[in-house]
Amino acid sequence: MVFDKQLDVFWHIIDPIHFMIYATTYIPRTIFKLISRGEYAPFFSIPLFKDAWFATFWSRVGPEMRENATPRAGPLIEQARGVVLDIGPGSGEWLKLFDKSKITKIYGAEPNRDHHAALQKRIKEAGLEEIYEIAPVGVEDLGDKWVGKGGVDTIVTIQCLCSVPEPKKMIEELYSYLKKGGIWVIYEHVVAYKHQGKLMKWYQAAIDILWPHFLGGCSITRDTVRWLEEAGEWTNVDLYQPDDEPSYHVVPHTMGVLTK
């Protein structure tokens, strides 16, 4: 029993390193895909190549991640209602979880165009063609072209706040789009919790030096919970760590719903 616990701790500790190594195996197929499509610009731009690499990697890994997280994130996404801002939908792994009977319109803010083909495919598979519109921009460029400030009933952020630029500023910007009484549905990985100890925080910070370069700019040390709570006034904040996550989980999550 003790050995099994030690083994479990070991695998949790090295899992982020293993995941980064696994991501590198998608570099050759990314190169092949770009050449076969005649897309050569990414070979002369590190950011563009990283975007193409991550899109290739996530098209394979994303569905698996969705399946693993569905028991947690699914019931949250099903609460989305009215006009919805779906932030960073990527290739659309979560779209089947929306309850169409509660929704009038969904704007999917996805600036990485390498995801758009897969996203459009999953929009169709989920039967959302009539209500889902891709906004090919980041939150900072939403403006009033898609939806105005105070015009959103639901904001959905599922494993995306880890990779957006200037996350604190973006969270404050998103808060302004939410109606009074609107909800913010969240399932994100965050900086290590206090109860995990300083050693875990230091290890997580060390991993995060390399992690963003392998995972599309994602960071695992963002203080997302605090930034959300400080974004503005909330009538209710119901955020919590999943019960099944052990204290030695290097990439812990927060999940729940905030009500404006």
Side-chain angles (χ1 to χ4, degrees):
M1 185 70 73
V2 174
F3 175 75
D4 289 343
K5 176 64 177 296
Q6 292 174 337
L7 189 61
D8 188 55
V9 172
F10 172 75
W11 284 117
H12 271 84
I13 294 299
I14 71 166
D15 186 59
I17 297 174
H18 173 263
F19 200 59
M20 287 189 288
I21 294 173
Y22 181 47
T24 64
T25 66
Y26 281 77
I27 292 177
R29 68 185 71 188
T30 301
I31 293 172
F32 177 78
K33 183 178 74 172
L34 291 172
I35 292 175
S36 65
R37 291 179 177 179
E39 300 175 9
Y40 302 110
F43 293 112
F44 303 97
S45 168
I46 291 177
L48 287 178
F49 185 82
K50 284 183 177 179
D51 284 347
W53 171 24
F54 182 68
T56 302
F57 174 59
W58 204 250
S59 67
R60 174 65 179 84
V61 176
E64 293 181 2
M65 299 293 286
R66 179 181 65 81
E67 289 300 321
N68 292 335
T70 292
R72 299 173 180 171
L76 296 174
I77 296 173
E78 289 172 358
Q79 296 183 50
R81 61 178 188 264
V83 177
V84 179
L85 252 183
D86 185 17
I87 306 301
S91 50
E93 293 85 7
W94 305 100
L95 298 193
K96 289 183 178 180
L97 301 177
F98 283 106
D99 184 346
K100 292 182 289 186
S101 68
K102 300 177 182 178
I103 297 170
T104 56
K105 184 73 177 181
I106 308 177
Y107 297 97
E110 179 50 68
N112 187 343
R113 293 177 182 271
D114 288 296
H115 287 305
H116 287 185
L119 178 56
Q120 196 64 58
K121 179 182 177 181
R122 289 196 169 97
I123 289 171
K124 185 175 181 180
E125 290 174 350
L128 298 173
E129 304 103 305
E130 299 299 320
I131 62 172
Y132 199 108
E133 181 177 351
I134 299 174
V137 296
V139 172
E140 67 279 4
D141 295 317
L142 276 173
D144 290 325
K145 181 177 180 180
W146 284 276
V147 61
K149 298 292 181 68
V152 174
D153 296 288
T154 307
I155 293 174
V156 176
T157 52
I158 306 294
Q159 295 182 334
C160 68
L161 295 178
C162 57
S163 57
V164 298
E166 300 184 279
K168 187 176 186 298
K169 180 179 179 181
M170 195 211 76
I171 287 171
E172 292 171 350
E173 179 75 3
L174 279 174
Y175 178 87
S176 68
Y177 280 94
L178 202 58
K179 291 180 181 178
K180 186 68 175 177
I183 61 172
W184 189 324
V185 172
I186 178 173
Y187 177 72
E188 297 282 349
H189 58 71
V190 294
V191 66
Y193 289 90
K194 288 183 179 180
H195 70 263
Q196 294 184 271
K198 290 184 178 180
L199 186 59
M200 177 58 76
K201 281 184 175 289
W202 292 338
Y203 179 66
Q204 190 189 56
I207 292 293
D208 204 44
I209 294 173
L210 293 176
W211 183 271
H213 300 289
F214 288 76
L215 277 302
C218 167
S219 170
I220 59 174
T221 58
R222 294 188 168 178
D223 201 356
T224 305
V225 174
R226 180 170 64 86
W227 295 337
L228 280 165
E229 291 175 344
E230 295 176 352
E233 294 184 5
W234 300 100
T235 59
N236 187 56
V237 175
D238 183 21
L239 298 178
Y240 51 93
Q241 184 181 12
D243 294 335
D244 59 347
E245 282 191 354
S247 61
Y248 42 86
H249 201 295
V250 183
V251 189
H253 293 80
T254 189
M255 59 185 290
V257 178
L258 303 95
T259 305
K260 188 171 181 179

